[in-house]
Amino acid sequence: KLQLRGESRFLREILYDAYREHGAKKLGISLMQILIDMVHLNGEYDHAIAMIDELFAGLTINQILASKDSCHLYIRKIHHQMFFRPVKPLIQALLDIEPILAKKDWSKEYNELLFMLGGNLGVLSGDLSFSRKWLVKAIRFAEQHKQPNYYIRAVRKYVDVLKSKGHLKWAKTFCLKGIDIAEKYDYKRYHAILVVTLADLYRMENNEVQ
């Protein structure tokens, strides 16, 4: 309830006091997820990673991936690391677990992995072909599992990749699809981003004609 009310400072103080007194394992994964997200949003990425490592101490990767919550946190750990660590090992870490998650019925966690590969790490690596491949998978998976939030997020990045590669026609097509979804589900932030992107695509087209 505190989290939904936006009482982030008060909630963080309470959870952090409990964490310091009892440690990550006794606090439990559900409360640690909330605390770690708050630490991450404050830009303390190394601290967030240290908390996850404490929670996972003594566990193998198979044990971590046996639980949906711990799997989600493992992917979040890679997300925290992308702000200050080399990209290629992080990509490989996700590629290593992708076949395992593909066999599980965890659509949210699997789409997080697909988006991390295509929308975040792939773009950071500079390999736009790699990024495009995984974003296409993310978009198709989101459509298949009726996840409009994941669909719009992946489409936004996919449009950027298409634009960077000069595929303006396809970029416009997906941009318009994304705008329709954003309007339908009232995703104001993504709607604004995609409208600006569409305007830039028209600008780029006009420049090419001239």
Side-chain angles (χ1 to χ4, degrees):
K1 288 179 180 178
L2 286 168
Q3 191 178 29
L4 291 173
R5 280 167 48 186
E7 300 281 359
S8 56
R9 181 180 295 180
F10 178 65
L11 183 56
R12 174 173 171 161
E13 287 176 0
I14 290 177
L15 290 178
Y16 196 71
D17 285 345
Y19 163 70
R20 285 192 299 180
E21 183 174 349
H22 300 290
K25 289 186 182 293
K26 284 190 177 179
L27 194 58
I29 193 163
S30 296
L31 291 177
M32 282 300 296
Q33 281 182 321
I34 297 171
L35 179 58
I36 288 165
D37 277 345
M38 290 179 170
V39 171
H40 167 83
L41 289 172
N42 203 40
E44 302 170 53
Y45 308 122
D46 53 346
H47 194 185
I49 292 166
M51 287 177 162
I52 296 172
D53 286 341
E54 182 184 343
L55 191 63
F56 288 163
L59 298 179
T60 66
I61 187 64
N62 287 332
Q63 288 173 319
I64 292 169
L65 297 182
S67 157
K68 184 188 292 190
D69 286 337
S70 58
C71 174
H72 179 79
L73 205 51
Y74 181 81
I75 295 171
R76 291 295 294 167
K77 176 185 172 181
I78 293 174
H79 183 250
H80 302 322
Q81 290 175 307
M82 79 178 193
F83 293 97
F84 64 98
R85 293 193 178 170
V87 174
K88 287 186 178 179
L90 301 180
I91 290 175
Q92 190 58 52
L94 288 181
L95 291 176
D96 289 342
I97 68 170
E98 187 273 333
I100 300 172
L101 263 65
K103 295 177 183 177
K104 295 181 181 287
D105 189 25
W106 298 346
S107 58
K108 180 180 177 182
E109 286 66 32
Y110 189 58
N111 215 320
E112 283 287 345
L113 180 145
L114 295 176
F115 182 77
M116 278 291 298
L117 284 169
N120 287 333
L121 298 176
V123 172
L124 283 174
S125 74
D127 188 344
L128 296 184
S129 295
F130 176 89
S131 180
R132 182 178 180 179
K133 168 188 170 182
W134 288 98
L135 282 170
V136 168
K137 287 189 176 186
I139 290 168
R140 288 174 178 168
F141 189 82
E143 277 186 308
Q144 180 184 350
H145 290 83
K146 296 179 172 56
Q147 298 171 310
N149 54 332
Y150 283 100
Y151 179 88
I152 191 74
R153 190 173 65 160
V155 162
R156 174 214 162 183
K157 288 282 188 175
Y158 187 52
V159 169
D160 287 342
V161 169
L162 290 171
K163 186 172 77 165
S164 297
K165 292 177 74 68
H167 302 314
L168 303 186
K169 180 181 176 182
W170 283 108
K172 276 177 60 181
T173 298
F174 276 93
C175 198
L176 290 168
K177 283 184 180 181
I179 289 170
D180 286 343
I181 294 291
E183 288 177 346
K184 182 178 179 180
Y185 292 96
D186 199 27
Y187 296 138
K188 291 184 174 64
R189 175 171 171 265
Y190 288 117
H191 183 269
I193 292 170
L194 287 168
V195 166
V196 172
T197 302
L198 183 61
D200 193 46
L201 287 167
Y202 281 119
R203 178 193 62 79
M204 292 172 72
E205 276 189 335
N206 288 335
N207 285 345
E208 283 194 355
V209 170
Q210 292 170 5

